[in-house]
Amino acid sequence: MVGDFREMPFDDEAFHIVREKQPPEGINGLKYGALHPETEQDDLRRGFAECWRVLAPGGSLIFKWAGDIKRVKPHFPVTPIVGTRVPRGQTWWLVFYKPRKDPA
C-alpha cells in the first residue's frame, strides 16, 4: 500500500512488520510524495510515531533512508537492532524491534 505514513487508516498494533521508506524525489516524488524541507522534521516525527502505533508488540519496523542519518535519527522510536554500518552512498537500512508486552 502506498499512503501517507503520518496518518494510517489502521488499528493500533495491527501489523507485525511495517516497512517504511523515505519518499523519493524527482518524478517518483511527484507520484508517491516527498518530504519538504520546511516540514521534514515534523513529518518524520509524526511518521515514526504512526509506524510505531500500527506495529504490534514483537514486530519489526524496517526503514530505508537516503541522506544524512542525522536528519532522521532524533525520531527513532528505539535504537535499531540491525542497520547499515557503512552506507553505500547515503542509503541506510534500519530494523527496529517493538518489545512484547510483559504478561499481566
Side-chain angles (χ1 to χ4, degrees), residues 4 10 41 50 58 66 69 72 76 79 81 88 90 92 98:
D4 187 339
F10 306 113
Q41 291 302 302
E50 190 68 354
I69 197 71
V72 71
F76 289 175
T79 300
I81 59 168
R88 215 168 211 204
Q90 283 290 314
W92 301 80
K98 186 174 188 178

Side-chain angles (χ1 to χ4, degrees), residues 7 12-13 26 32 44 49 63 66 73-75 77 87-89 93 96:
E7 194 171 331
D12 294 353
E13 302 179 349
Y32 299 111
L44 288 167
F63 187 79
K73 194 172 184 177
H75 308 291
R88 215 168 211 204
W93 284 94
F96 302 90

